[in-house]
């Protein structure tokens, strides 16, 4: 069936408030003077349901094992990441209008507005898939959709070892961080495995302890019996009702957490997190975007400024609150890799925090020890 005919059936059903079932579609085809046969009815029903349920033509991609991201740059430019980098998905849309309809419907399914007056949206679907969409009035090339698929399985630290992403010795050090209630951040780039590794580490927390997680979008799924997950919320179409990460961190502190976790430190909530870690909340942790572990202090300076912390105040808080940085990256073959462990220390001469290399992991070679290795071993033993 041609797209124009499918549009006519879609409009007919919409005007009459009908769902795209076989009986309703057959009646619509007859009333529109179109060919009615078993094949045409079933083909139309499948196409209409694909456009009205789930992620439409992208649903088969989202259901494939190992898929982490599905990206739509244009009607005929759909890409998928199965863990080894982006590749053409072999799926296309009829035109820009179909891509836009999908984006608008996905936004509407979670009560969000997407139109020329509000041309972008970032939300989490009921399935857990995170959707980001930008309309063509912003991109200039047509509607773009980015779908991030949550982990369907909970990876343990043993799974990381089995996949070759870290060694048994490295796993022992990370286990010690959790067991000894050290405060740490997992740093890395987008898709490097920060959230996946943090979830594996939180699964090591004793079942007698209560974990409270604050996240911008719900991604962390630790295998833990006592875990409370708080999720931020953007403002509605009227510009009210927003719940920020700062709000969540402050609420989490009143919920008797044994471990306070910020899924991703990205703004003013850093000030509250550091304040909590400096007032008896041991074992707190989170993730932060950074190109390297050495870049984390500078990254935190920028984020601390959003929370009203001066440079001196940030470094004073940081030195007393954070002890270890765990940096991960993605190898060219797509494998996630524990790249480096560093300590956070204050420089007496400047009063500024610096990172001290403790252990660097090189694929296919022995780990490279740094000047902070002895202190790291003391912290985790």
């Amino acid at each position: 069936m041609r797209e124009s005919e499918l549009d006519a059936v879609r409009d007919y059903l919409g005007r009459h408030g009908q769902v795209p079932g076989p009986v309703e579609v057959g009646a619509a085809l007859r009333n529109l003077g179109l060919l009615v046969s078993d094949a045409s009815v079933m083909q139309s029903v499948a196409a209409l349901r694909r456009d009205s349920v789930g992620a439409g033509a992208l649903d088969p991609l989202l259901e494939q094992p190992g898929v982490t991201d599905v990206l739509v740059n244009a009607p005929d430019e759909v890409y998928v990441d199965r863990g080894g980098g982006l590749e053409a998905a072999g799926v296309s849309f009829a035109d820009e209008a179909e891509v836009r309809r999908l984006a608008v419907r996905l936004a509407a399914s979670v009560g969000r507005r997407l139109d020329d007056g509000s041309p972008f949206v970032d939300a989490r679907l009921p399935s857990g898939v995170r959707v980001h969409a930008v309309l063509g009035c912003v991109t200039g090339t047509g509607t773009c959709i980015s779908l991030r698929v949550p982990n369907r399985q909970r990876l343990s630290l043993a799974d990381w070892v089995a996949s070759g992403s870290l060694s048994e010795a490295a796993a022992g050090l990370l286990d010690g961080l959790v067991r000894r209630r050290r405060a740490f951040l997992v740093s890395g780039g987008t898709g490097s495995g920060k959230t996946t590794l943090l979830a594996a580490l939180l699964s090591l927390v004793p079942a007698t302890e209560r974990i409270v997680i604050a996240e911008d979008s719900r991604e962390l799924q630790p295998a833990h019996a006592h875990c409370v997950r708080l999720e931020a919320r953007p403002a509605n179409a009227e510009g009210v009702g927003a719940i920020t990460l700062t709000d969540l961190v402050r609420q989490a502190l009143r919920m008797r957490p044994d471990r306070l976790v910020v899924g991703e430190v990205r703004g003013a909530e850093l000030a509250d997190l550091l304040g909590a870690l400096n007032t008896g909340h041991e074992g707190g942790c989170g993730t932060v975007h950074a190109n390297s572990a050495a870049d984390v202090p500078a990254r935190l300076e920028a984020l601390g400024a959003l929370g009203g912390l001066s440079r001196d105040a940030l470094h004073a808080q940081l030195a007393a609150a954070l002890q270890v940085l765990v940096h991960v990256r993605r190898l060219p073959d797509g494998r996630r890799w524990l790249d480096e462990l560093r300590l956070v220390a204050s420089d007496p001469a400047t009063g500024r925090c610096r990172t001290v290399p403790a252990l660097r992991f090189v694929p296919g070679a022995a780990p490279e020890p740094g000047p902070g290795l002895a202190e790291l071993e003391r912290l985790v033993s």
Side-chain angles (χ1 to χ4, degrees), residues 62-116:
L62 296 175
E63 294 168 1
Q64 291 179 9
V67 169
T68 60
D69 296 89
V70 176
L71 309 174
V72 181
N73 297 340
D76 58 348
E77 294 182 20
V78 181
Y79 297 89
V80 64
D81 188 346
R82 295 184 174 88
L86 295 176
E87 57 186 272
V91 172
S92 63
F93 293 84
D95 50 31
E96 154 64 12
E98 185 180 359
V99 181
R100 178 169 175 142
R101 278 198 305 271
L102 173 59
V104 170
R105 181 170 59 74
L106 290 175
S109 70
V110 290
R112 301 291 300 281
R113 170 187 168 192
L114 184 62
D115 54 33
D116 288 346

Side-chain angles (χ1 to χ4, degrees), residues 143-157:
T143 300
C144 294
I145 302 174
S146 305
L147 300 175
R148 169 63 64 87
V149 183
N151 289 328
R152 294 187 176 92
Q153 59 178 349
R154 293 168 171 167
L155 297 182
S156 65
L157 212 55

Side-chain angles (χ1 to χ4, degrees), residues 3 29 64 96 112 117 120 127 141 164 195 213 244 263 342 370-371:
E3 188 63 28
L29 292 172
Q64 291 179 9
E96 154 64 12
R112 301 291 300 281
F120 43 82
S127 64
T141 57
T195 301
I213 301 174
T244 67
R342 286 197 176 211

Side-chain angles (χ1 to χ4, degrees), residues 197-245:
L197 180 58
L198 181 56
L201 295 179
L202 291 176
S203 299
L204 302 175
V205 172
T208 54
E209 296 185 19
R210 174 180 170 93
I211 302 173
V212 181
I213 301 174
E215 293 183 276
D216 184 61
S217 181
R218 189 175 298 177
E219 293 181 298
L220 277 171
Q221 300 184 61
H224 192 273
H226 199 157
C227 181
V228 178
R229 299 160 67 191
L230 308 178
E231 184 176 17
R233 184 179 69 192
N236 60 20
E238 287 73 40
V240 298
I243 300 175
T244 67
L245 270 178

